[in-house]
Amino acid sequence: MVSINIPDSLLGSFAFYSAVVLSKTMAMSLLTAFKRIKNSIYANPEDAATVRKPVVFNNETVERVRRNHLNDLENVLPFVLLGGLYLLTGPAAGTALWHFRIFAASRIAHTISYQLALPQPSRALTFFVGLSVNASMAYRILSSLSQFA
Ligand SMILES: N[C@@H](CCC(=O)N[C@@H](CS)C(=O)NCC(=O)O)C(=O)O
Protein backbone atom coordinates (compact mmCIF):
# COMPACT_ATOMS: atom_id res chain seq x y z
CA MET A 1 0.00 0.00 0.00
CA VAL A 2 1.08 3.59 -0.58
CA SER A 3 0.35 4.65 2.99
CA ILE A 4 -1.20 3.13 6.09
CA ASN A 5 -0.81 6.26 8.16
CA ILE A 6 -4.49 7.13 8.53
CA PRO A 7 -5.38 9.91 11.00
CA ASP A 8 -7.81 8.79 13.72
CA SER A 9 -10.15 11.62 12.84
CA LEU A 10 -10.41 10.41 9.23
CA LEU A 11 -11.07 6.84 10.33
CA GLY A 12 -13.74 8.19 12.65
CA SER A 13 -15.34 10.21 9.85
CA PHE A 14 -15.36 7.20 7.54
CA ALA A 15 -16.91 5.01 10.24
CA PHE A 16 -19.51 7.68 10.97
CA TYR A 17 -20.62 8.23 7.38
CA SER A 18 -20.53 4.50 6.62
CA ALA A 19 -22.84 3.92 9.58
CA VAL A 20 -25.14 6.71 8.35
CA VAL A 21 -25.59 5.22 4.88
CA LEU A 22 -25.72 1.62 6.13
CA SER A 23 -28.39 2.59 8.68
CA LYS A 24 -30.34 4.34 5.94
CA THR A 25 -30.10 1.18 3.84
CA MET A 26 -31.31 -0.98 6.72
CA ALA A 27 -34.19 1.43 7.34
CA MET A 28 -35.55 0.48 3.91
CA SER A 29 -36.34 -3.00 5.26
CA LEU A 30 -38.42 -1.46 8.04
CA LEU A 31 -40.11 0.88 5.58
CA THR A 32 -40.95 -2.08 3.32
CA ALA A 33 -42.47 -3.97 6.26
CA PHE A 34 -44.44 -0.87 7.27
CA LYS A 35 -45.87 -0.44 3.76
CA ARG A 36 -46.72 -4.15 3.54
CA ILE A 37 -48.61 -4.13 6.84
CA LYS A 38 -50.34 -0.80 6.17
CA ASN A 39 -51.57 -1.94 2.74
CA SER A 40 -51.93 -5.69 3.48
CA ILE A 41 -49.56 -6.51 0.63
CA TYR A 42 -47.76 -9.81 1.12
CA ALA A 43 -45.60 -11.84 -1.28
CA ASN A 44 -45.54 -15.07 0.75
CA PRO A 45 -48.67 -17.27 1.04
CA GLU A 46 -48.17 -17.81 4.77
CA ASP A 47 -48.02 -14.04 5.32
CA ALA A 48 -51.04 -13.29 3.10
CA ALA A 49 -52.99 -16.04 4.89
CA THR A 50 -52.78 -14.07 8.15
CA VAL A 51 -55.02 -11.39 6.62
CA ARG A 52 -56.90 -13.80 4.31
CA LYS A 53 -55.66 -12.05 1.17
CA PRO A 54 -54.04 -13.33 -2.04
CA VAL A 55 -50.32 -12.83 -2.56
CA VAL A 56 -49.44 -9.63 -4.41
CA PHE A 57 -46.15 -9.01 -6.22
CA ASN A 58 -46.82 -5.78 -8.08
CA ASN A 59 -48.04 -3.21 -5.58
CA GLU A 60 -46.42 0.08 -6.62
CA THR A 61 -46.09 1.46 -3.07
CA VAL A 62 -44.20 -1.59 -1.84
CA GLU A 63 -42.21 -2.07 -5.04
CA ARG A 64 -41.01 1.55 -4.96
CA VAL A 65 -39.45 1.00 -1.53
CA ARG A 66 -37.95 -2.29 -2.70
CA ARG A 67 -36.38 -0.62 -5.78
CA ASN A 68 -35.04 2.12 -3.53
CA HIS A 69 -33.57 -0.52 -1.21
CA LEU A 70 -31.91 -2.34 -4.12
CA ASN A 71 -30.48 0.93 -5.40
CA ASP A 72 -28.99 1.56 -1.94
CA LEU A 73 -27.37 -1.87 -2.01
CA GLU A 74 -25.93 -1.12 -5.46
CA ASN A 75 -24.32 2.09 -4.24
CA VAL A 76 -23.80 1.97 -0.47
CA LEU A 77 -21.94 -1.35 -0.40
CA PRO A 78 -19.41 -0.12 -3.00
CA PHE A 79 -19.00 3.08 -0.95
CA VAL A 80 -18.10 1.18 2.21
CA LEU A 81 -15.71 -1.16 0.39
CA LEU A 82 -14.10 1.52 -1.77
CA GLY A 83 -13.95 3.99 1.13
CA GLY A 84 -11.90 1.59 3.23
CA LEU A 85 -9.44 1.00 0.38
CA TYR A 86 -9.38 4.72 -0.41
CA LEU A 87 -8.16 5.49 3.12
CA LEU A 88 -5.19 3.19 2.53
CA THR A 89 -4.03 5.46 -0.31
CA GLY A 90 -3.34 8.35 2.11
CA PRO A 91 -5.79 10.95 0.75
CA ALA A 92 -5.78 14.56 2.00
CA ALA A 93 -8.05 14.61 5.06
CA GLY A 94 -10.25 17.45 3.80
CA THR A 95 -10.71 15.84 0.39
CA ALA A 96 -11.63 12.49 1.92
CA LEU A 97 -14.03 14.05 4.41
CA TRP A 98 -15.91 15.83 1.62
CA HIS A 99 -16.10 12.61 -0.38
CA PHE A 100 -17.81 10.97 2.61
CA ARG A 101 -20.12 13.90 3.36
CA ILE A 102 -21.22 14.38 -0.23
CA PHE A 103 -21.90 10.66 -0.67
CA ALA A 104 -24.03 10.47 2.48
CA ALA A 105 -25.98 13.59 1.50
CA SER A 106 -26.53 12.25 -2.03
CA ARG A 107 -27.98 8.97 -0.77
CA ILE A 108 -30.35 10.69 1.66
CA ALA A 109 -31.45 13.02 -1.15
CA HIS A 110 -31.86 10.01 -3.46
CA THR A 111 -34.24 8.36 -0.98
CA ILE A 112 -36.27 11.54 -0.51
CA SER A 113 -36.64 12.06 -4.25
CA TYR A 114 -37.48 8.35 -4.80
CA GLN A 115 -40.06 8.04 -2.03
CA LEU A 116 -41.73 11.36 -2.82
CA ALA A 117 -41.62 10.50 -6.56
CA LEU A 118 -40.14 13.92 -7.31
CA PRO A 119 -39.92 14.77 -11.02
CA GLN A 120 -36.77 13.73 -12.82
CA PRO A 121 -33.93 14.58 -13.13
CA SER A 122 -33.92 15.08 -9.33
CA ARG A 123 -33.34 11.40 -8.49
CA ALA A 124 -30.93 10.91 -11.37
CA LEU A 125 -28.83 13.86 -10.20
CA THR A 126 -28.59 12.54 -6.64
CA PHE A 127 -27.65 9.12 -8.03
CA PHE A 128 -24.91 10.55 -10.25
CA VAL A 129 -23.44 12.61 -7.40
CA GLY A 130 -23.06 9.44 -5.29
CA LEU A 131 -21.77 7.47 -8.25
CA SER A 132 -19.19 10.19 -8.94
CA VAL A 133 -17.89 9.97 -5.38
CA ASN A 134 -17.49 6.21 -5.71
CA ALA A 135 -15.85 6.60 -9.12
CA SER A 136 -13.47 9.23 -7.74
CA MET A 137 -12.40 6.90 -4.91
CA ALA A 138 -12.03 3.97 -7.31
CA TYR A 139 -9.85 6.11 -9.61
CA ARG A 140 -7.62 7.15 -6.72
CA ILE A 141 -7.24 3.53 -5.55
CA LEU A 142 -6.45 2.20 -9.01
CA SER A 143 -4.03 5.01 -9.92
CA SER A 144 -2.24 4.79 -6.55
CA LEU A 145 -1.82 1.03 -6.81
CA SER A 146 -1.14 0.66 -10.54
CA GLN A 147 2.50 -0.03 -9.70
CA PHE A 148 1.37 -3.36 -8.22
CA ALA A 149 -0.53 -4.48 -11.34
N1 LIG B 1 -30.15 -0.52 -11.20
C1 LIG B 1 -30.40 0.85 -11.58
C2 LIG B 1 -29.16 1.37 -12.36
C3 LIG B 1 -29.23 2.85 -12.76
C4 LIG B 1 -29.58 3.74 -11.56
O1 LIG B 1 -29.22 3.46 -10.41
N2 LIG B 1 -30.33 4.81 -11.83
C5 LIG B 1 -30.78 5.69 -10.76
C6 LIG B 1 -31.02 7.10 -11.31
S1 LIG B 1 -32.25 7.15 -12.57
C7 LIG B 1 -32.03 5.19 -10.07
O2 LIG B 1 -32.46 5.79 -9.11
N3 LIG B 1 -32.63 4.09 -10.59
C8 LIG B 1 -33.86 3.57 -10.07
C9 LIG B 1 -33.72 2.21 -9.45
O3 LIG B 1 -32.61 1.69 -9.29
O4 LIG B 1 -34.77 1.67 -9.06
C10 LIG B 1 -31.69 0.91 -12.43
O5 LIG B 1 -32.18 -0.15 -12.82
O6 LIG B 1 -32.21 2.01 -12.65
Side-chain angles (χ1 to χ4, degrees):
M1 289 296 161
V2 174
S3 170
I4 52 168
N5 190 15
I6 306 166
D8 285 352
S9 60
L10 198 49
L11 271 178
S13 297
F14 175 59
F16 176 81
Y17 286 106
S18 293
V20 167
V21 290
L22 288 168
S23 298
K24 200 226 72 67
T25 301
M26 291 190 300
M28 302 314 288
S29 291
L30 283 179
L31 187 58
T32 306
F34 174 76
K35 300 269 185 185
R36 284 195 187 287
I37 293 166
K38 185 175 170 214
N39 299 291
S40 292
I41 300 295
Y42 297 104
N44 299 302
E46 66 274 24
D47 299 341
T50 62
V51 290
R52 296 195 175 82
K53 292 258 185 125
V55 293
V56 177
F57 298 107
N58 61 354
N59 178 268
E60 168 55 15
T61 306
V62 171
E63 291 306 314
R64 178 172 287 271
V65 184
R66 281 163 52 79
R67 291 194 300 273
N68 195 158
H69 195 177
L70 179 60
N71 196 277
D72 275 345
L73 294 172
E74 290 172 357
N75 292 276
V76 168
L77 298 185
F79 169 79
V80 174
L81 293 170
L82 288 169
L85 296 173
Y86 173 67
L87 288 182
L88 299 179
T89 69
T95 306
L97 182 56
W98 278 105
H99 273 71
F100 304 155
R101 284 176 173 161
I102 291 170
F103 183 84
S106 79
R107 292 314 301 179
I108 291 168
H110 181 270
T111 297
I112 291 170
S113 68
Y114 213 158
Q115 292 311 306
L116 297 182
L118 298 182
Q120 286 281 35
S122 58
R123 172 165 44 83
L125 287 175
T126 64
F127 163 75
F128 278 112
V129 169
L131 186 70
S132 301
V133 170
N134 277 345
S136 169
M137 294 195 298
Y139 175 77
R140 163 104 188 171
I141 296 160
L142 292 171
S143 56
S144 298
L145 301 179
S146 60
Q147 59 194 293
F148 298 110

